[in-house]
Amino acid sequence: GEDVEQSLFLSVREGDSSVINCTYTDSSSTYLYWYKQEPGAGLQLLTYIFSNMDMKQDQRLTVLLNKKDKHLSLRIADTQTGDSAIYFCAETVSDDKIIFGKGTRLHILP
Amino acid sequence: GAVVSQHPSWVICKSGTSVKIECRSLDFQATTMFWYRQFPKQSLMLMATSNEGSKATYEQGVEKDKFLINHASLTLSTLTVTSAHPEDSSFYICSAEGQGDNYGYTFGSGTRLTVV
């Protein structure tokens, strides 16, 4: 069935790069997303990539998509304390169906 | 793995009627469930946090009398949109927070509500 998996925790030192990985199973997905959730808040769309793209860069964020391996990653350069949050990977498989991973808690070490 | 079933996937209703959306954790107990509404640019606004056996905690700006949330058991939370209006048309999605082996957030697949 459709599934999106990501590791639950990641600790990174301030100033280093964070790489959050995600795998998905549905090869018919059209868009893949990264959301950020800060405590007590909703899910903010950080970035997305269309399934026919390999890479997308937006300031400190780089998304890499390996469609063959169904692997998506989010790299945050120069990680700051404000990047501490839960990051969700998600894919859309139709107009009205979106599948989320369980979320990766990013912890920033001083 | 943990699964959250959300029903219906889509619903069309007339203005003034009420619609109930169910969010059910199938193989784990969820003491806390969350309800979100999708807005333009894909972000999901947190509407409320639902705790089993107690009243839901609504976010600022969300009308609790309009969006009724009930979390009567450890596996079921419902969102009822009362007296729906066209501006309530949106994509609603729930998630459940698991513990132990089911640690993390498991999302339902969402409900597309269209009010005509």
Side-chain angles (χ1 to χ4, degrees), chain B residues 104-116:
Chain B
Y105 296 89
T106 304
F107 285 77
S109 53
T111 298
R112 171 71 62 188
L113 170 63
T114 303
V115 184
V116 296

Side-chain angles (χ1 to χ4, degrees), chain A residues 35 37 43 96 102 105, chain B residues 36 42 44 103 105-106 112:
Chain A
Y35 287 86
Q37 184 181 40
L43 273 67
D96 289 327
K102 293 170 82 66
R105 290 180 187 271
Chain B
Y36 300 88
Q42 303 287 344
L44 297 176
Y103 182 84
Y105 296 89
T106 304
R112 171 71 62 188

